[in-house]
Amino acid sequence: MITKDAVIGDVLDKYPATAPLFLQMGMHCLGCPASRGESIEEACMVHGADADALVAALNKAIGA
């Protein structure tokens, strides 16, 4: 299960198919160094996105 505290880079490493969900939320720099150490919650704050909605979509995508 993915949580708001999960690091984006770790999520993408384990579940690469989730990349489009991050892109849809406006997180277009998935390969940048910041995404490798930034939590979902931190990135959502920066991008003005709803972390709970993204986490729900991510967990749905991975079948959790």
Side-chain angles (χ1 to χ4, degrees):
M1 176 174 244
I2 298 170
T3 67
K4 291 189 289 189
D5 295 327
V7 173
I8 294 171
D10 294 343
V11 173
L12 290 170
D13 287 345
K14 190 167 183 179
Y15 308 107
T18 62
L21 295 171
F22 288 103
L23 296 172
Q24 289 171 7
M25 297 295 286
M27 298 176 196
H28 298 286
C29 60
L30 296 180
C32 72
S35 75
R36 300 310 299 173
E38 193 171 46
S39 73
I40 292 172
E41 186 171 38
E42 291 168 334
C44 284
M45 284 191 293
V46 170
H47 291 279
D50 182 339
D52 292 320
L54 178 55
V55 167
L58 291 167
N59 281 311
K60 182 176 179 184
I62 65 167

